[in-house]
Amino acid sequence: STNNGINWNEVFVSVGDVRSMVTNSIGHILAGTGQGMKRSTDGGAIWIASDSGLTTSSARSINSITISPTGTILIATFGGLFKSIDQGISWSQFSSISSAVSSIYWNSGGSIFAGSPFTVLRSQNDGASWDTLDTGISNAIHRTFFAPLQGLLLCGVDYFGVLRTTDNGNTWTKQNNFLTAAMVKSLLVFGNTVYAATAGGLFTSSDDGSSWLSNSLGNYFVETLHRSISNRIYAGVLGGLCFVSNDSGQTWSQIPSSS
């Protein structure tokens, strides 16, 4: 889209489902897909494979991308964690984790959090070793999504709702008060509001996740959330629909799928 999401044109096909996207420090766009990493250096007009070092199909099945405070790019894949120190051109194994990882988050204090199929892992030494964080976390975790708050960290979990930690992940408490849909698919922090995309609609919290209100978007299966640099909020829902809000989620408009 070149007009703030009003209209869209498809820019590439046959790459698998796109699961995560970031823009690196030199303006290149990285797209993690089910069939590898794709990179664009021209604002999304042309895409090339950027899979050097991702030698297995499980490593090329990318779930999440994050950029560390020092600029290192980390990806969570079905084959473990990988890092890039050359803006996403090539990749190498990061840490000893070689099993599936659904999400990754690197905070400003240097702690790395990784969501695995059954728990949350934390490294405080650049991935050399990992702690299993299971106090207050159900072993039924399938997929996690992290959202940082001031002094807090929220973790959205498939089938378990929202968890919160105030001690850098040592302990977690469930924060599902009035959150009537436990399958959380994405979390977004915008100002003092937390947005939770769930299988039963969009929910918001103005008290760091302690309580939740159902949003006006409606009873959609909301899969992903994004805030643009112009402070618009985008919500992608099951079935390929996309909605945009210009007023912090108070009202929504459906975006046409193509121009």
Side-chain angles (χ1 to χ4, degrees):
S1 175
T2 58
N3 55 5
N4 293 314
I6 296 174
N7 301 103
W8 294 83
N9 292 305
E10 190 172 51
V11 293
F12 58 64
V13 295
S14 302
V15 296
D17 52 319
V18 179
R19 300 169 182 167
S20 185
M21 299 183 75
V22 299
T23 302
N24 65 19
S25 61
I26 56 175
H28 296 175
I29 305 171
L30 299 176
T33 80
Q35 297 179 16
M37 182 66 71
K38 312 300 175 184
R39 180 167 52 93
S40 175
T41 62
D42 58 3
I46 299 173
W47 296 82
I48 59 174
S50 197
D51 294 337
S52 178
L54 304 177
T55 57
T56 66
S57 59
S58 58
R60 290 190 295 273
S61 186
I62 300 165
N63 292 317
S64 179
I65 313 171
T66 192
I67 301 178
S68 79
T70 60
T72 298
I73 303 172
L74 289 183
I75 57 174
T77 81
F78 275 95
L81 296 175
F82 292 81
K83 71 175 181 179
S84 174
I85 58 173
D86 57 8
Q87 301 292 350
I89 296 173
S90 62
W91 304 88
S92 60
Q93 188 84 36
F94 179 78
S95 84
S96 59
I97 298 177
S98 59
S99 56
V101 181
S102 62
S103 57
I104 186 78
Y105 169 67
W106 198 326
N107 71 16
S108 59
S111 295
I112 308 169
F113 294 86
S116 79
F118 299 106
T119 190
V120 174
L121 306 173
R122 180 190 62 196
S123 176
Q124 300 182 90
N125 53 12
D126 291 332
S129 62
W130 295 83
D131 304 315
T132 299
L133 309 176
D134 53 12
T135 302
I137 296 179
S138 167
N139 62 7
I141 285 177
H142 172 64
R143 186 170 171 84
T144 56
F145 307 88
F146 297 112
L149 292 166
Q150 186 67 34
L152 307 170
L153 181 64
L154 294 182
C155 175
V157 184
D158 263 2
Y159 308 110
F160 202 64
V162 175
L163 303 170
R164 183 175 66 189
T165 180
T166 60
D167 55 11
N168 203 41
N170 291 322
T171 58
W172 300 80
T173 56
K174 188 183 292 189
Q175 304 293 315
N176 289 352
N177 193 24
F178 304 116
L179 185 68
T180 56
M183 184 185 288
V184 177
K185 307 302 293 183
S186 181
L187 291 172
L188 171 70
V189 178
F190 180 19
N192 296 319
T193 303
V194 184
Y195 300 80
T198 81
L202 180 64
F203 291 80
T204 61
S205 173
S206 58
D207 54 10
D208 298 335
S210 294
S211 61
W212 298 87
L213 294 172
S214 180
N215 183 263
S216 62
L217 178 61
N219 192 31
Y220 288 100
F221 190 126
V222 186
E223 295 193 285
T224 187
L225 297 167
H226 175 74
R227 179 172 67 90
S228 72
I229 58 175
S230 57
N231 288 330
R232 291 179 173 88
I233 300 176
Y234 295 89
V237 309
L238 188 67
L241 300 179
C242 186
F243 294 84
V244 62
S245 174
N246 297 306
D247 54 13
S248 301
Q250 296 182 51
T251 59
W252 297 85
S253 300
Q254 185 175 338
I255 298 173
S257 59
S258 61
S259 60

